[in-house]
Amino acid sequence: KQQYGSHQGPCLDAIEHSEVVISDDVTVDERWPVFGPAVESTGVKAINSFPLSVRDETLGALNLYSRRVGGFSDDSRAVATLFSSQAAVALANAKTHQSALELTINLQEALKTREVIGEAKGILMAREGVAEDEAFQMLRRASQTTNMKLRDIAQELVHKVAGGDGKVTAGHAP
C-alpha cells in the first residue's frame, strides 16, 4: 500500500524494469526517499521484489519482507527466484484461461445476437415484403430512433410476434 501511495518502492521498480530488486534496509535506501521512511513504522527492514515475468511481459511481483536488516540470504533469494518463475507461469496461464473464457462468452453472446437479429429480419421480410438488407435497415433505424441496442429492438420484435410467451402465434404481428 505504501508503495502505491508514494509511487515508489522495490515492488514497483521490479515490475517496471523486470528485474529483481533487493534492499537490505529499505528504511535508509536512497532509491525511495518517501517510501523508505513511510514503511519504517511497519517494522519492515529488508525487502526483496522478484518480477513475475513470462516472455516479455511482467505480470506483477513477488515481494518478500523481513523485519531484520539484511534478512535474506543468497539461498533464500535463489529459492524465491525459482518460486517466482513458477508463479509467473501459473499467473500467465490463469490470465490466458480468463481471456479464453471471456472470448467464449463474447462469441456465444454474438451468436445469440446474430440469431435474434436474423429472426427479426425474417419477420420484417415476411410482414413488410422487403429484402433482407431493407429489413436490417428498418431495425437499425428503430434502434437509432429509440436509442436502444439493435439486439434489444430485434428481441422485442421477436418476443411480440411470439405472443410474449415464446410461442409463435399465427397472424399475430406487432
Side-chain angles (χ1 to χ4, degrees):
K1 180 178 170 183
Q2 297 287 348
Q3 292 184 67
Y4 297 112
S6 66
H7 303 289
Q8 58 179 245
C11 176
L12 298 177
D13 285 357
I15 293 169
E16 182 178 345
H17 303 293
S18 296
E19 296 175 352
V20 174
V21 177
I22 296 169
S23 179
D24 287 326
D25 187 353
V26 72
T27 63
V28 296
D29 199 316
E30 294 178 358
R31 293 177 286 184
W32 312 293
V34 175
F35 170 71
V39 79
E40 189 169 14
S41 66
T42 67
V44 171
K45 297 293 183 189
I47 300 177
N48 287 190
S49 295
F50 300 82
L52 300 177
S53 301
V54 176
R55 295 182 221 29
D56 293 331
E57 183 179 11
T58 300
L59 305 169
L62 169 69
N63 299 299
L64 303 179
Y65 303 93
S66 175
R67 293 186 180 275
R68 291 180 313 142
V69 171
F72 300 103
S73 67
D74 289 341
D75 287 343
S76 66
R77 287 184 183 119
V79 170
T81 298
L82 291 172
F83 183 78
S84 66
S85 296
Q86 296 302 310
V89 171
L91 189 58
N93 286 342
K95 184 178 175 186
T96 299
H97 175 73
Q98 183 63 33
S99 294
L101 181 61
E102 288 172 6
L103 178 61
T104 299
I105 291 168
N106 290 339
L107 288 173
Q108 288 172 340
E109 189 61 32
L111 287 173
K112 288 179 192 174
T113 296
R114 181 176 177 210
E115 183 179 307
V116 75
I117 290 172
E119 289 177 29
K121 286 191 310 186
I123 291 167
L124 290 174
M125 291 166 61
R127 187 176 78 180
E128 303 294 328
V130 297
E132 184 178 353
D133 288 344
E134 180 58 25
F136 181 77
Q137 291 306 320
M138 291 171 74
L139 291 170
R140 188 181 63 75
R141 283 191 297 274
S143 170
Q144 291 173 342
T145 302
T146 61
N147 200 26
M148 290 175 61
K149 291 182 179 179
L150 194 136
R151 179 185 193 270
D152 294 339
I153 293 287
Q155 183 65 52
E156 188 176 298
L157 175 60
V158 169
H159 185 74
K160 284 180 184 176
V161 170
D165 60 4
K167 297 178 185 166
V168 176
T169 54
H172 186 276

